[in-house]
Amino acid sequence: VNSRKVYVGGSGVTSGSSAPTGYAKDRKWIMMAFSSYEQARQPYVNWEKLGRQNANRLAIDIVADIISRVITAANYGASVKAVPPQAFTADDIADLCESATGRNWPVTDRSLVMNHTYRTPLLKDSTYKQYLSYGSTDPVRKALIKEAYGFDAIEVVPNLTTYSPAGENLIGWINHIYAMVIATAQIMPTEEVRALMTRYDIAIHPTIGMTLAYRRFGDLTLDQTKEVVESSYGAGIGVASSLARMTSQ
């Protein structure tokens, strides 16, 4: 009775912007290419670092897709807090705590996620500045507010508002850990495709199990080595009552 369907990967009319309503489903990839000349004449270029940057860019694209397609009013209901960034205070977090408790969320594993513009007024809030009196300097030294009013984690997403579903003014949410289900499942290339590659690896995150695939192959005409980082993923609703949306209005 607690099973949830997650669509993973795909192409064409079944994925991306054409994925089933309320779900995220796609295969996304980013490629890096460099010539034999560049590899021979640029000894100080850190190709590994460039590869990590590409993987980070891929992660941002996937997160943006999931937020814009899954964290919607249709999936999780009306906003429980509507407030512009300049008016956001510690009192609003207290209200969100009440909303979480009213939904019968366990007291552990609650999170608050918000756009970066909502952290700034909190850092100016005397409620958090007084942490200095108790020996924690994180709000002032690191601009970090790690937890408050029963939320085990407070996460800031830069420019989260740009990922908002159209017309919904999403600026963040509170959630318990069962709010969403996300799955990855890489598709093994066919024998003919693998024959054209010099490497094909799959990396699996040791804790959460998410996977990325890495392909390396050459282009004889352009004299280039090409490296691709990709992910076939899907996301959908877990327990709908385990997430509550916040909006700017």
Side-chain angles (χ1 to χ4, degrees):
V1 296
N2 291 321
S3 64
R4 297 290 187 275
K5 180 181 290 186
V6 183
Y7 305 94
V8 176
S11 61
V13 297
T14 66
S15 64
S17 60
S18 299
T21 301
Y23 293 86
K25 172 182 181 286
D26 208 353
R27 170 185 174 262
K28 290 190 183 297
W29 55 275
I30 289 183
M31 183 174 69
M32 177 175 70
F34 51 90
S35 68
S36 300
Y37 176 86
E38 290 170 327
Q39 191 170 27
R41 295 292 190 266
Q42 302 291 338
Y44 296 108
V45 174
N46 190 331
W47 301 110
E48 181 180 348
K49 181 178 181 180
L50 291 176
R52 288 198 303 269
Q53 291 174 332
N54 272 350
N56 287 337
R57 177 67 254 181
L58 177 63
I60 291 172
D61 291 343
I62 292 173
V63 167
D65 188 38
I66 291 174
I67 292 175
S68 64
R69 294 192 58 83
V70 181
I71 304 182
T72 64
N75 280 350
Y76 294 105
S79 169
V80 296
K81 173 66 68 173
V83 58
Q86 64 272 17
F88 194 65
T89 69
D91 290 342
D92 292 302
I93 299 181
D95 292 340
L96 292 168
C97 176
E98 181 178 288
S99 295
T101 302
R103 289 169 175 251
N104 296 315
W105 293 2
V107 295
T108 58
D109 297 318
R110 297 181 182 185
S111 297
L112 164 62
V113 180
M114 57 188 174
N115 189 59
H116 71 281
T117 55
Y118 283 73
R119 175 175 59 181
T120 304
L122 291 180
L123 293 174
K124 299 177 179 179
D125 193 317
S126 59
T127 301
Y128 293 104
K129 286 185 177 180
Q130 71 177 347
Y131 283 163
L132 295 173
S133 303
Y134 300 98
S136 172
T137 60
D138 283 351
V140 171
R141 291 193 306 112
K142 302 178 182 179
L144 289 178
I145 300 171
K146 297 180 179 179
E147 51 188 347
Y149 294 114
F151 290 101
D152 290 339
I154 297 179
E155 305 292 345
V156 173
V157 179
N159 302 306
L160 187 153
T161 53
T162 63
Y163 311 147
S164 172
E168 295 194 3
N169 303 305
L170 182 73
I171 56 89
W173 61 85
I174 57 172
N175 70 273
H176 193 249
I177 58 174
Y178 302 117
M180 185 187 299
V181 286
I182 301 174
T184 54
Q186 298 307 131
I187 303 300
M188 177 62 69
T190 65
E191 181 179 350
E192 291 74 19
V193 174
R194 293 199 305 273
L196 300 175
M197 296 186 290
T198 57
R199 283 190 64 178
Y200 179 77
D201 299 315
I202 292 179
I204 303 174
H205 192 283
T207 303
I208 62 177
M210 303 290 283
T211 62
L212 290 176
Y214 166 79
R215 303 177 184 227
R216 184 183 177 105
F217 53 94
D219 187 316
L220 294 175
T221 303
L222 297 178
D223 188 33
Q224 286 184 335
T225 293
K226 296 184 178 181
E227 297 180 319
V228 173
V229 179
E230 65 176 294
S231 179
S232 291
Y233 65 92
I237 307 169
V239 177
S241 60
S242 291
L243 186 147
R245 300 162 54 256
M246 299 158 50
T247 57
S248 60
Q249 55 182 287

